[in-house]
Amino acid sequence: MESRTFKNKVQEFIRERVISKLQLAYFAVDEQMKVRGASSNLSDYGFPKLDIGKPVDEQIDFMIGMDAKTELDLPVVGSPSGIPISVSLMPDDDQLTVLISNASTATEQRQLLQQAANENELLVEQQKKLMSELEMASQELEQKNRQLEEASRLQTSFISGVSHEFRTPLTSIIGYTNLVKSDLAKMSEEMVPRIAKQDSDDYLSAVQRSSKHLLSLVENLLDHGKLDSDEINIRPKPTDLNELFRDVELLLTPLSTTKDIRFDIELDIPSDFEAIVDDSRLRQCLINLVGNAIKFTDEGGVSLKAKLENESLNVSVSDTGLGISADDLKKIRLPFFQAADTGKVGTGLGLTITERIIEMMGGQLEIESELNVGTCVTFSMPAPLIEPQLAVEQQLSVNLTELRVLLAEDDSDIADLVVMLLEEQGVNVRRVVNGALAVAALQEADFDIVLMDIHMPIMTGYEAIEELNKQGNTTPIIVMSASAVEDDQERAKGLGCAAYLVKPVDVQEILSIASMVIDVN
Amino acid sequence: MDKKKICMVGDFSVGKTSLTQKFVNNVFSEKYLTTIGVKIDTVEVESTKLIIWDVAGRDSLSPINASYLVGAAGVILVADGTRESTVSGLLDIWAVVEKRIGSVPCVVALNKCDLPDWHVSESNLDEFASRDWSVFQTSAKKGHDVETLFHTLVAKI
Ligand SMILES: Nc1nc2c(ncn2[C@@H]2O[C@H](COP(=O)(O)OP(=O)(O)O)[C@@H](O)[C@H]2O)c(=O)[nH]1
Ligand SMILES: [Mg+2]
């Protein structure tokens, strides 16, 4: 009695909690797939009331294509009611029973899980695709970059090559002009009438100015090449700033005079101190900035102001020229940029180089401009002060008339020039055209000093110096080269050369170095 | 009336549900809702009542459950033309189909042809051609070749 009640209770529990929750329904078909019987709750799932004896596949769609012999488990099938059902086909000896249950709970959970998993996988796939696209794009970019770099390198080396080629002929133009000018000055009035003499002198000054200008353009081009390859070095040394600015004034006043415009210079620099700056770089910047200002000013004038205070040099170059439009102002720092319609010529490099050099000297360049009103360029840079050193002027202390110089130089124009200038000072010069001959000459005679060009046929200057070093040569050697590349200078130093001069060399420079070198020895 | 069961098979999210819905109800949704198990739709094509079983795709959690294929008169193999792996994956899926229900008539849908980054390799196309499968570039979104896809299969079964 007790156990019977318990069994009932269990059955009731199963019916209520399990079967009712599963909403079990069923139907059975015979071997011909005709309906034999069905539970009444089939309609809960949206199925029609089945006609006994009629083919099942006319009444229930999912039975189409099924046979009575195949056991099959379909875990989740969408029923006509929308409720997901689980379907089991259970074949028997002579009939097929199809059991249907509610699969909502399991399906819901499965749905959440699956949805998340699939979306995640799609994201991962998408990410992979993007990564590989990114990879490809960056490779393409790198390739392009390399090509650009190569093109720019070629351009730079072309520019340096060409400008280098220009220096040698320029050297002889400037040198010969100096020579002719000084010859002219010495000529008496019987030889040349005074008026003609004055005219010729003016013409020669014009040639001088133009060739110096050309040289500074060539130097800018060379520097451009070096900027790209980071070869420019700043070498500060004690400098008399007043003198430097006066130099610039002297050099550029003729340009403004020719254009009939004003060029004033206003200096507020204490004269009892020297500033530590790279004088030649600062000079180059000033020439570029003032030169530009004069170039672009046709009326009014240019004024250069410099003030030294708190160990900082503040410079402004203002003009009343064409001015620069706001659009062009953005591009003006690009190399080779030229505003389209100014009708002015130039390399378009001056400003780029100037700005870089000023930055390298610790300064900052600022440009303000208004179209048709004028432009003002300012910069300030550190300029630490020191007391001027005494004995700056090194007097030529050696008797030059006795100086014996060996000159190795293959360019006959330059050689002629140097010989002429040195002989004018009473120096004895012996001339050879390559390094091998220089070595030979040193073996057979004594010299006080050797002036050695680098690029020569048969044996270059460097090879000759190496050879001489091997032979224990003691004669000081001064290298003269058209190459302003730092590497070459380092190499000369490494070979124990006394000095390195960059063409165009000034004869005074040769002599003062010669006298210093000999003095020391 | 003649009644035929066909199955949509392929990887998850290639557009099996979308193609079915476009063909049966002429609707398309951008929203992705994973199909669990199978959804059954019916539609009349010419004089045939077609029972379309939109089977859950193969995915990382589960392979295709071949039980759903039993009784099918033909299958539509669906791939996503912008996901190369789903295209080459059709060969494995076909192997599952063939093992369970034999070499039933089949057509191939390379779906989502409206999208720009199409990645279907020539070697896959050659492989399909060598099996004599009819291949369609479809778009459930634009309806492109959806009708042709189903009609071609019906003609084969
Ligand atoms: N652009 C585009 N998207 C589609 C196309 N077919 C399906 N989709 C989208 O792809 C996703 C998956 O589609 P669905 O039909 O659920 O794929 P199933 O898992 O194979 O059933 C959904 O977001 C759809 O909107 C199509 O032809 N073009
Ligand atoms: Mg689906």
Side-chain angles (χ1 to χ4, degrees):
Chain A
M1 196 61 192
E2 272 258 313
S3 69
R4 190 152 170 81
T5 323
F6 178 71
K7 200 176 165 190
N8 284 347
K9 276 187 175 163
V10 171
Q11 276 175 348
E12 201 169 302
F13 177 83
I14 290 174
R15 202 164 26 246
E16 273 176 16
R17 291 294 181 82
V18 185
I19 302 190
S20 71
K21 204 169 175 207
L22 285 177
Q23 284 183 278
L24 225 52
Y26 70 90
F27 59 86
V29 295
D30 62 17
E31 284 167 312
Q32 279 73 50
M33 300 297 278
K34 294 202 170 97
V35 178
R36 270 198 176 160
S39 66
S40 59
N41 60 351
L42 267 181
S43 57
D44 292 354
Y45 296 113
F47 294 109
K49 189 173 170 357
L50 297 187
D51 284 341
I52 310 292
K54 292 260 175 75
V56 71
D57 62 3
E58 281 172 9
Q59 309 180 61
I60 293 187
D61 286 338
F62 74 75
M63 288 303 291
I64 291 164
M66 303 295 177
D67 60 65
K69 293 274 169 269
T70 311
E71 184 176 342
L72 209 58
D73 214 12
L74 306 174
V76 182
V77 178
S79 70
S81 67
I83 300 167
I85 53 174
S86 179
V87 179
S88 299
L89 277 66
M90 299 179 294
D92 221 330
D93 283 347
D94 60 346
Q95 73 170 24
L96 175 74
T97 309
V98 178
L99 218 58
I100 294 175
S101 62
N102 189 329
S104 299
T105 320
T107 306
E108 256 165 45
Q109 282 165 3
R110 176 82 192 172
Q111 169 77 44
L112 287 175
L113 193 70
Q114 189 77 58
Q115 183 80 25
N118 288 359
E119 276 173 4
N120 187 48
E121 194 158 329
L122 284 174
L123 276 177
V124 170
E125 260 179 52
Q126 192 71 23
Q127 198 179 21
K128 270 191 207 147
K129 209 188 237 173
L130 284 176
M131 293 286 269
S132 79
E133 269 165 29
L134 209 72
E135 177 87 354
M136 243 151 70
S138 86
Q139 266 170 13
E140 226 167 84
L141 219 73
E142 229 166 72
Q143 170 84 6
K144 284 232 175 77
N145 213 8
R146 266 200 300 275
Q147 283 168 354
L148 273 177
E149 261 170 26
E150 176 63 8
S152 145
R153 201 186 56 74
L154 284 178
Q155 188 198 32
T156 302
S157 79
F158 172 76
I159 290 173
S160 316
V162 168
S163 45
H164 191 258
E165 292 290 313
F166 282 176
R167 289 170 81 105
T168 308
L170 269 175
T171 304
S172 77
I173 292 173
I174 292 170
Y176 280 110
T177 314
N178 287 344
L179 204 64
V180 176
K181 240 189 137 188
S182 68
D183 277 358
L184 187 71
K186 281 181 218 143
M187 285 180 191
S188 62
E189 251 173 59
E190 295 102 66
M191 295 166 79
V192 193
R194 211 162 56 84
I195 311 249
K197 190 168 166 178
Q198 187 52 51
D199 281 350
S200 304
D201 193 65
D202 288 349
Y203 301 156
L204 288 171
S205 300
V207 173
Q208 259 179 335
R209 269 198 311 275
S210 306
S211 38
K212 278 194 180 145
H213 183 61
L214 192 54
L215 189 66
S216 78
L217 291 181
V218 165
E219 245 133 38
N220 276 348
L221 277 171
L222 259 175
D223 278 350
H224 172 65
K226 289 194 208 153
L227 279 180
D228 281 355
S229 51
D230 281 333
E231 268 179 45
I232 289 190
N233 285 330
I234 300 298
R235 312 223 143 120
K237 58 170 177 287
T239 302
D240 180 342
L241 283 178
N242 280 302
E243 189 181 301
L244 188 147
F245 277 93
R246 290 298 165 202
D247 259 9
V248 172
E249 184 182 19
L250 276 181
L251 190 78
L252 294 171
T253 301
L255 280 185
S256 63
T257 317
T258 332
K259 292 194 73 179
D260 207 14
I261 55 171
R262 252 185 322 99
F263 172 34
D264 357 283
I265 176 160
E266 201 178 292
L267 301 179
D268 182 2
I269 297 169
S271 54
D272 44 355
F273 284 100
E274 286 187 334
I276 305 197
V277 294
D278 184 331
D279 64 327
S280 67
R281 289 300 180 192
L282 180 56
R283 181 179 286 119
Q284 183 186 8
C285 293
L286 292 170
I287 292 173
N288 278 338
L289 293 178
V290 177
N292 260 348
I294 295 177
K295 187 160 94 181
F296 291 107
T297 304
D298 296 326
E299 263 169 53
V302 173
S303 87
L304 167 63
K305 289 188 188 134
K307 184 173 183 150
L308 187 64
E309 84 192 325
N310 302 330
E311 308 220 316
S312 159
L313 175 64
N314 304 308
V315 177
S316 76
V317 178
S318 51
D319 65 51
T320 56
L322 291 172
I324 308 158
S325 71
D327 258 3
D328 284 348
L329 206 53
K330 285 181 212 145
K331 294 180 265 181
I332 200 155
R333 289 173 161 91
L334 298 174
F336 305 108
F337 174 80
Q338 314 240 349
D341 46 3
T342 59
K344 310 286 175 182
V345 288
T347 56
L349 281 174
L351 193 63
T352 322
I353 289 164
T354 304
E355 182 169 37
R356 271 299 297 277
I357 291 174
I358 287 171
E359 272 169 16
M360 290 174 81
M361 294 193 296
Q364 176 106 32
L365 188 85
E366 224 102 11
I367 307 175
E368 272 172 47
S369 187
E370 199 176 322
L371 204 57
N372 298 325
V373 173
T375 304
C376 180
V377 181
T378 53
F379 69 88
S380 53
M381 56 176 274
L385 298 179
I386 57 159
E387 303 260 3
Q389 256 108 49
L390 291 171
V392 208
E393 264 311 283
Q394 183 114 33
Q395 284 305 317
L396 300 187
S397 54
V398 186
N399 190 351
L400 293 171
T401 40
E402 284 161 24
L403 200 67
R404 294 158 302 171
V405 171
L406 174 63
L407 170 69
E409 165 69 71
D410 62 322
D411 185 305
S412 63
D413 284 343
I414 304 249
D416 284 347
L417 183 65
V418 173
V419 169
M420 216 176 324
L421 291 169
L422 286 174
E423 278 178 350
E424 222 174 40
Q425 304 285 330
V427 174
N428 269 316
V429 189
R430 162 102 184 267
R431 205 179 127 179
V432 293
V433 295
N434 66 48
L437 291 174
V439 174
L442 275 162
Q443 274 164 351
E444 62 196 39
D446 282 342
F447 292 94
D448 296 306
I449 209 149
V450 182
L451 291 176
M452 184 80 79
D453 181 32
I454 291 304
H455 300 284
M456 291 186 290
I458 301 173
M459 186 187 267
T460 68
Y462 286 135
E463 287 162 353
I465 296 167
E466 273 163 11
E467 180 59 32
L468 288 170
N469 284 349
K470 254 188 247 163
Q471 295 177 6
N473 165 68
T474 54
T475 315
I477 299 172
I478 299 176
V479 171
M480 277 188 327
S481 172
S483 163
V485 177
E486 309 268 342
D487 273 0
D488 283 351
Q489 305 197 15
E490 290 304 313
R491 186 160 174 204
K493 229 190 241 162
L495 287 169
C497 296
Y500 186 102
L501 299 179
V502 178
K503 292 176 188 174
V505 289
D506 181 24
V507 86
Q508 286 307 321
E509 211 176 345
I510 297 180
L511 291 174
S512 72
I513 287 186
S515 71
M516 274 195 290
V517 167
I518 291 162
D519 230 17
V520 170
N521 284 25
Chain B
M1 189 186 277
D2 205 10
K3 295 182 173 182
K4 296 284 186 210
K5 165 179 178 177
I6 64 163
C7 290
M8 310 290 292
V9 284
D11 279 324
F12 74 95
S13 193
V14 294
K16 298 178 298 296
T17 303
S18 300
L19 284 169
T20 309
Q21 289 312 309
K22 183 71 190 176
F23 183 60
V24 176
N25 300 317
N26 195 24
V27 291
F28 174 80
S29 156
E30 291 283 351
K31 198 173 168 330
Y32 172 49
L33 194 68
T34 311
T35 309
I36 301 296
V38 68
K39 289 228 167 67
I40 297 174
D41 273 284
T42 55
V43 65
E44 274 177 36
V45 181
E46 281 140 28
S47 57
T48 308
K49 185 171 178 191
L50 208 56
I51 318 299
I52 306 172
W53 286 48
D54 172 18
V55 181
R58 185 181 63 164
D59 59 62
S60 52
L61 298 182
S62 43
I64 283 184
N65 184 343
S67 301
Y68 293 120
L69 304 174
V70 171
V75 296
I76 297 183
L77 296 174
V78 188
D80 178 344
T82 67
R83 279 155 69 210
E84 174 85 61
S85 64
T86 68
V87 181
S88 44
L90 288 185
L91 296 172
D92 297 340
I93 288 171
W94 172 251
V96 173
V97 172
E98 212 178 16
K99 185 162 173 243
R100 183 72 209 227
I101 60 173
S103 220
V104 296
C106 116
V107 290
V108 177
L110 302 177
N111 191 37
K112 308 196 189 180
C113 73
D114 56 287
L115 293 177
D117 49 347
W118 191 256
H119 289 289
V120 178
S121 73
E122 284 299 321
S123 66
N124 276 327
L125 288 177
D126 290 348
E127 181 67 42
F128 297 162
S130 75
R131 288 159 190 257
D132 239 3
W133 291 345
S134 310
V135 180
F136 297 92
Q137 298 193 359
T138 61
S139 167
K141 184 171 179 174
K142 302 267 182 265
H144 184 261
D145 263 3
V146 176
E147 296 276 327
T148 329
L149 179 75
F150 284 91
H151 284 264
T152 306
L153 183 65
V154 171
K156 284 189 179 200
I157 56 187

